[in-house]
Amino acid sequence: MSSFSGEDKSSDKNNLKKGPWTTAEDDILAAYVRRHGSGNWNVVQKNTGLARCGKSCRLRWTNHLRPDLKTGAFSNEEQRKVIELHALMGNKWAKMAQELPGRTDNEIKNFWNTRLKKRKRNGLGIYPDDIKHVFNAHNSETTLPTYTHYVNDSGVGSSSCVPREVFNNFSTPNQPLLVPPISEVPVDMQLFEVPKEMMQLEVPEEMMQLFHIPKEFLLQEYVEFLEDFMNGGNYECSGGPSSISSKMPPLPSSCDALQFDEPMVVVRQVHEVGTNQHYRPRSPRSNGYLESIFYPPNVSQEPKNYSNMQGDDPIKDTLYSIIHPFFPR
DNA sequence: AATGCCTACAACCGCCTTCCA
DNA sequence: ATGGAAGGCGGTTGTAGGCAT
């Protein structure tokens, strides 16, 4: 089909070629990378005469010409690994590719999307039963999309960094929990008395490895987090990028939390931040392993900051009505 | 043989992050 | 601190080839 303007769709306005690569182009690119190494892709065109943009060169090299790439269909083992990884992290193709040597993010993405189509057509769920069991994700595919979504300040929807499957750890009382819901703590127990054994951290080992979370630290931080919260710590509890650095991945918001019955604590991956990037953990004593979500079901609008909630604040009252019976002040 | 549909996958696009001057 | 360039990532599209009718 020709375009209305009559322009050649195989090249752009800079006379750079688009579309499938020829073997001649591959040879030129491969020879260049062998000689000069990968990176600085935009100079490839200048130095080789290849009529391809840097981005296209990088993609061609990483997805097809790299010598360490595997060829052929995914083995059964690889297929299973992809499914497990997807249950753990959602559509994080590049991260998944790090766990599958010789496979590219693009390959994994294509494999997954094809597989997903097939299963949908056959009326099957996203994950096989054994995977669902392992990762405690049985709610994810029946009612909810793979990713949670929130609406940030600009009103634009975006993917949360927390896969739905992780969230669902908090909403299934009979399943192992990432951290226990507050309601599991005995009514007459002061927070500082909560024995650490209560806090059964049944985090899948693979998840701990993937997220590089030291288990002891997670537990310690959970204790500190709850202490801070109960001592009137200065918490922000809204999700979205504006409440922390816009460079940080977004957190789930109340629209996610409202789908659950229990108050929740959210665990998320820690990201390296540069010294000039002002990541402000939600809890003053948090290093970012734990994040709080304590939305009661009847909160229709996100509270902005716990520290701003005085005693007559209905939202604060509601929050304490949930927590107070278990942690009397 | 012609046609249509489906599948797999390569490649592009837009957005975001990182780097560096 | 800032802005532009480069790189990275995930979603989407285009297309070749296989298969069924």
Side-chain angles (χ1 to χ4, degrees), chain A residues 29-230:
Chain A
L29 179 59
Y32 180 86
V33 176
R34 270 196 297 274
R35 194 176 164 88
H36 299 97
S38 60
N40 211 1
W41 295 106
N42 281 348
V43 305
V44 175
Q45 187 221 343
K46 289 175 199 157
N47 293 348
T48 64
L50 258 183
R52 295 280 183 172
C53 69
K55 218 169 173 176
S56 184
C57 292
R58 182 181 63 79
L59 212 62
R60 186 66 187 172
W61 174 257
T62 54
N63 286 352
H64 298 278
L65 301 177
R66 253 167 51 200
D68 58 332
L69 287 177
K70 269 188 195 170
T71 54
F74 280 38
S75 66
N76 289 340
E77 198 181 327
E78 284 175 318
Q79 291 185 27
R80 182 167 178 90
K81 182 114 190 182
V82 170
I83 297 165
E84 287 181 0
L85 288 170
H86 192 276
L88 265 178
M89 55 178 74
N91 296 1
K92 297 293 173 192
W93 313 118
K95 271 214 154 45
M96 290 160 80
Q98 289 170 11
E99 306 293 321
L100 289 153
R103 299 297 185 183
T104 69
D105 54 353
N106 211 31
E107 262 183 309
I108 295 169
K109 181 172 57 182
N110 284 334
F111 163 76
W112 180 262
N113 288 336
T114 302
R115 179 184 168 279
L116 197 62
K117 269 187 206 164
K118 272 187 202 164
R119 289 184 72 88
K120 271 185 181 165
R121 200 175 44 245
N122 296 331
L124 298 168
I126 297 172
Y127 303 108
D129 286 343
D130 52 341
I131 299 286
K132 279 193 290 187
H133 175 72
V134 168
F135 294 102
N136 192 19
H138 71 284
N139 287 340
S140 63
E141 60 196 47
T142 51
T143 56
L144 298 166
T146 304
Y147 272 96
T148 59
H149 282 77
Y150 76 102
V151 177
N152 64 21
D153 291 350
S154 64
V156 179
S158 174
S159 292
S160 163
C161 64
V162 184
R164 164 64 60 199
E165 290 68 33
V166 175
F167 258 107
N168 287 338
N169 284 327
F170 304 99
S171 63
T172 53
N174 297 324
Q175 300 286 332
L177 295 166
L178 213 50
V179 290
I182 290 172
S183 58
E184 284 187 5
V185 179
V187 169
D188 57 351
M189 189 173 277
Q190 295 289 333
L191 175 63
F192 56 83
E193 292 174 345
V194 176
K196 291 192 175 183
E197 308 82 66
M198 281 292 302
M199 302 179 180
Q200 299 167 18
L201 291 170
E202 299 197 34
V203 183
E205 202 52 47
E206 287 175 61
M207 185 187 288
M208 299 295 285
Q209 286 167 9
L210 279 168
F211 288 5
H212 309 295
I213 301 174
K215 207 168 182 174
E216 305 72 31
F217 198 102
L218 190 63
L219 182 62
Q220 180 60 30
E221 192 169 352
Y222 182 49
V223 173
E224 291 178 358
F225 165 81
L226 286 175
E227 285 173 358
D228 274 349
F229 183 85
M230 294 313 299

Side-chain angles (χ1 to χ4, degrees), chain A residues 277-294:
Chain A
Q277 295 172 4
H278 303 293
Y279 168 47
R280 190 149 44 92
R282 308 235 160 164
S283 156
R285 289 163 66 179
S286 166
N287 284 329
Y289 287 116
L290 291 175
E291 298 290 349
S292 63
I293 299 281
F294 283 105

Side-chain angles (χ1 to χ4, degrees), chain A residues 263-284:
Chain A
M264 299 183 295
V265 174
V266 173
V267 180
R268 69 172 186 156
Q269 183 176 6
V270 176
H271 290 257
E272 296 281 337
V273 292
T275 50
N276 60 343
Q277 295 172 4
H278 303 293
Y279 168 47
R280 190 149 44 92
R282 308 235 160 164
S283 156

Side-chain angles (χ1 to χ4, degrees), chain A residues 1-7 9:
Chain A
M1 190 192 292
S2 62
S3 64
F4 290 114
S5 61
E7 65 189 321
K9 282 192 172 177

